[in-house]
Amino acid sequence: MDDLQLLREMRSDIGSAPAATLARGRTRVMANIGNVVDVGVQAVDTSERSVSQLQFRRRVLLASAAAALVVGGLVVADVVRPTPGATAEAAEILNNAALATIRTSDPSIGPGQYLKVDTKAVYASTVGRDDGTAVSWLETTGGQMYIPADITGEWVWKREPRIPTTFFGEESRAEADKQSALQDGPVLEAPQLVGILRGKAGGFYGGSPEQILGTPLAEAFETLPREPEKLLQLIYDRTKGKGPSAESEALTTIASALRTGVIPADLRAAMYKAAALIPGIVVADKQATLDGQQGVALGVYFADGKFRDDIIVDPETGQLIGERTVYLVAESGIPANTAAAWTSVRTSVVDSAP
């Protein structure tokens, strides 16, 4: 899904992708918890989690979007650089999160009920200029995934449109308006981009059922190792050659799995403990706010020092609040210290699905 999401970020009608997208070869955050393929005049989108990263992937807020972005952590102040001991501090927080997630009961989903995974996401869109400069803006989107008690049954995904909401100057706003107007024209025949989708075992657009590390969910729950060292090595093996670094890709892979909302407590704990073994993880922000939720941000810096990938964890419950990619320097028209891609996650149990 990362490759297709990258294609979306690099869509030909708006020029080149942000440098972070090129560096990662992926996006962090829309919230696709299943396999996604968006095809339109401007988009081809699938994510591990959207489900990436720029996710991210990786990606609604409508009238209140701009305010929500500020509250949710659009601008990240007081950037924390790696310091001696930071990795040990991050490892302690992650190990404590593993203990907390064991103490926190998994949601009880009865017959006929659904786990509702509500996701909001932001992605950067960029237009390259002939002179080598670029203009960027942020777009927001979201969705709700309804996962039945029997995860092999039919999943329901309500997709929301992707809307320009945050601009970096008048030129940024004008370019976003221009691209929106182009998108309002005739589109190619394509899978449904918004609205309600249904897929057996999380397989949408004719895709395979939802998987974790390349293994179908039900099988993954049984077979993925709970030993942190073995789990991390498996992640390294299956993500080799992807992302800006093995460490960054490992962290975002763990985040992608956790934000599905369906990982059982013992496997969640193993993932946190595996993350604690990743070299270079630092405590980026002890009071990180994402979409109104507050937790601890733990991140990995890109080798060039221009970007950082974070996961944000509630230390009291061990629940993943979300993930983000932070631009530490001005890049592609995006100001320094901006979370140019983020995804937030909330889960609840409901009695019905659309």
Side-chain angles (χ1 to χ4, degrees):
M1 72 185 169
D2 289 343
D3 294 340
L4 290 176
Q5 177 62 36
L6 177 61
L7 289 177
R8 181 183 181 104
E9 297 302 331
M10 296 178 66
R11 61 202 192 206
S12 60
D13 61 315
I14 64 168
S16 60
T21 303
L22 295 172
R24 298 172 61 175
R26 67 193 295 272
T27 155
R28 196 143 198 310
V29 212
M30 174 200 136
N32 154 12
I33 303 168
N35 301 311
V36 185
V37 178
D38 293 355
V39 184
V41 133
Q42 52 130 24
V44 175
D45 179 13
T46 210
S47 95
E48 307 165 5
R49 0 297 175 282
S50 116
V51 249
S52 177
Q53 288 157 39
L54 290 186
Q55 91 194 17
F56 266 208
R57 194 202 301 204
R58 236 265 33 60
R59 298 15 108 257
V60 183
L61 302 183
L62 301 177
S64 62
L69 280 169
V70 173
V71 172
L74 168 63
V75 177
V76 182
D78 300 326
V79 173
V80 178
R81 297 291 182 175
T83 58
T87 298
E89 182 184 17
E92 180 180 6
I93 292 172
L94 286 164
N95 282 313
N96 287 341
L99 294 175
T101 198
I102 291 296
R103 292 194 301 266
T104 303
S105 299
D106 285 330
S108 177
I109 309 170
Q113 291 186 314
Y114 294 82
L115 178 69
K116 179 184 177 183
V117 184
D118 195 334
T119 309
K120 290 183 179 178
V122 165
Y123 302 108
S125 288
T126 295
V127 172
R129 302 301 198 199
D130 291 340
D131 62 2
T133 61
V135 177
S136 298
W137 63 94
L138 302 185
E139 299 177 348
T140 64
T141 185
Q144 299 79 45
M145 189 77 73
Y146 296 83
I147 304 171
D150 177 4
I151 60 174
T152 65
E154 182 181 74
W155 295 26
V156 181
W157 187 18
K158 184 179 179 181
R159 299 200 63 181
E160 297 174 353
R162 183 163 160 161
I163 302 170
T165 51
T166 301
F167 313 97
F168 307 111
E170 290 305 315
E171 186 179 8
S172 170
R173 183 184 294 273
E175 191 63 55
D177 289 344
K178 175 183 175 182
Q179 297 305 323
S180 293
L182 290 174
Q183 294 163 29
D184 288 338
V187 298
L188 301 174
E189 289 296 325
Q192 183 178 349
L193 305 183
V194 297
I196 296 175
L197 304 172
R198 303 179 190 277
K200 184 174 176 59
F204 298 98
Y205 301 112
S208 59
E210 174 68 6
Q211 299 184 4
I212 298 296
L213 289 179
T215 303
L217 280 184
E219 181 183 344
F221 295 165
E222 298 295 327
T223 62
L224 288 181
R226 267 53 173 181
E227 300 89 343
E229 295 83 358
K230 290 183 179 179
L231 181 59
L232 182 58
Q233 187 58 54
L234 179 65
I235 292 170
Y236 282 149
D237 291 343
R238 294 190 178 180
T239 61
K240 186 175 182 179
K242 298 180 180 179
S245 69
E247 293 77 19
S248 176
E249 192 67 16
L251 183 64
T252 53
T253 296
I254 289 171
S256 297
L258 291 173
R259 68 184 164 87
T260 64
V262 298
I263 305 298
D266 64 332
L267 184 54
R268 289 201 309 273
M271 288 183 171
Y272 282 130
K273 290 180 179 179
L277 300 175
I278 298 174
I281 290 197
V282 301
V283 176
D285 189 346
K286 291 184 178 180
Q287 293 183 319
T289 300
L290 191 66
D291 190 31
Q293 302 180 85
Q294 190 172 84
V296 178
L298 303 118
V300 173
Y301 289 81
F302 287 22
D304 60 11
K306 295 181 178 180
F307 311 100
R308 190 188 66 237
D309 276 341
D310 292 342
I311 62 171
I312 301 174
V313 177
D314 182 341
E316 300 299 320
T317 65
Q319 293 294 323
L320 180 77
I321 290 174
E323 55 183 333
R324 66 189 182 188
T325 294
V326 179
Y327 280 46
L328 303 177
V329 299
E331 185 80 17
S332 301
I334 298 174
N337 301 336
T338 298
W342 60 259
T343 302
S344 68
V345 182
R346 286 182 171 89
T347 59
S348 59
V349 176
V350 296
D351 293 329
S352 61

